[in-house]
Amino acid sequence: MGTGKSAVGRRLARRLQRPFFDTDAWIVEQAGMPIPQVFAAFGETAFRDLETEAAREVSRRQDLVVSTGGGILGRDENVELLRQNGRLLCLQARPEVILHRTQPWDSRPMLRTAPNPRQAVERLLEERAARYALADWSVDTSDLSVSEVVNRICAALPSL
C-alpha cells in the first residue's frame, strides 16, 4: 500500500513489453465492486479468498508483470502460486511516505477505521515483515521516482 506498485508495475510492463496484471483490479472486476465495499459487505477473509483466486489466475499465465496487494503474501498458497512463473519483487516505503501517498484514507480498508493511521501502517509493516522477506529482491521506493524504481528493477532482473 502506497509503495508505487501499480504505477511501477504499469511502467515496467511497458518497458519490458509484457502484459500488466493488477490483482486488485482483477478482484474489483470479479466482485463487481470496489475493494472497500468487498471488505464492508463480505469481510477481510472473503477479500483474501479473492486474492488467492487472483494468484491462481496469475499462475496460469506467462510473461506478466504483476502488481499485488501486500496482504496476498499472507497465505503460503499464494506465495507458491505467484512463484510458479516468476520472481517476487517487494516495493517498500517508510511509514510516513505510505501515509502521504495513500491519502485520503477512507478508500483504504486497512486505514480508514484506524484511530491512528500511522500506528496502523507501522503495525501492518511489522506483521508482514517476515512475509515480505520472502521476496527475491526488494527496493525502498520512498525517495525514488517511478522511473528510478523501474530502472533499478531492470538493472536487477538479470541477476534474479
Side-chain angles (χ1 to χ4, degrees):
M1 175 173 52
T3 60
K5 63 190 178 296
S6 295
V8 169
R10 279 191 291 277
R11 180 101 39 104
L12 181 63
R14 278 195 304 273
R15 177 128 166 225
L16 298 176
Q17 298 180 347
R18 293 184 179 186
F20 177 64
F21 188 103
D22 186 316
T23 61
D24 285 349
W26 186 90
I27 288 168
V28 167
E29 183 179 317
Q30 297 303 305
M33 64 182 73
I35 290 171
Q37 287 183 3
V38 173
F39 267 77
F42 306 107
E44 184 176 355
T45 299
F47 174 75
R48 300 299 172 201
D49 291 343
L50 287 168
E51 282 184 322
T52 298
E53 289 304 314
R56 282 192 188 107
E57 183 64 28
V58 166
S59 74
R60 294 184 195 102
R61 300 186 187 191
Q62 298 283 327
D63 299 321
L64 296 175
V65 172
V66 179
S67 170
T68 71
I72 200 168
L73 298 182
R75 292 183 178 176
D76 291 337
E77 176 184 8
N78 295 347
V79 174
E80 291 172 23
L81 288 165
L82 293 170
R83 282 191 188 279
Q84 281 183 11
N85 294 318
R87 302 283 184 257
L88 296 178
L89 307 179
C90 182
L91 303 185
Q92 300 174 315
R94 295 185 307 272
E96 63 272 14
V97 173
I98 291 171
L99 288 169
H100 176 74
R101 291 177 180 171
T102 57
Q103 288 183 17
W105 300 317
D106 58 342
S107 66
R108 306 292 179 153
M110 303 305 282
L111 295 181
R112 74 174 167 187
T113 59
N116 184 324
R118 182 181 177 96
Q119 286 179 347
V121 167
E122 290 171 349
R123 181 181 43 78
L124 276 174
L125 293 175
E126 185 178 319
E127 289 172 358
R128 294 177 176 177
R131 304 307 289 183
Y132 291 170
L134 297 172
D136 298 300
W137 188 73
S138 296
V139 61
D140 187 325
T141 67
S142 297
D143 300 314
L144 302 175
S145 69
V146 170
S147 294
E148 290 170 321
V149 175
V150 169
N151 288 341
R152 287 189 185 195
I153 292 170
C154 288
L157 282 176
S159 65
L160 295 176

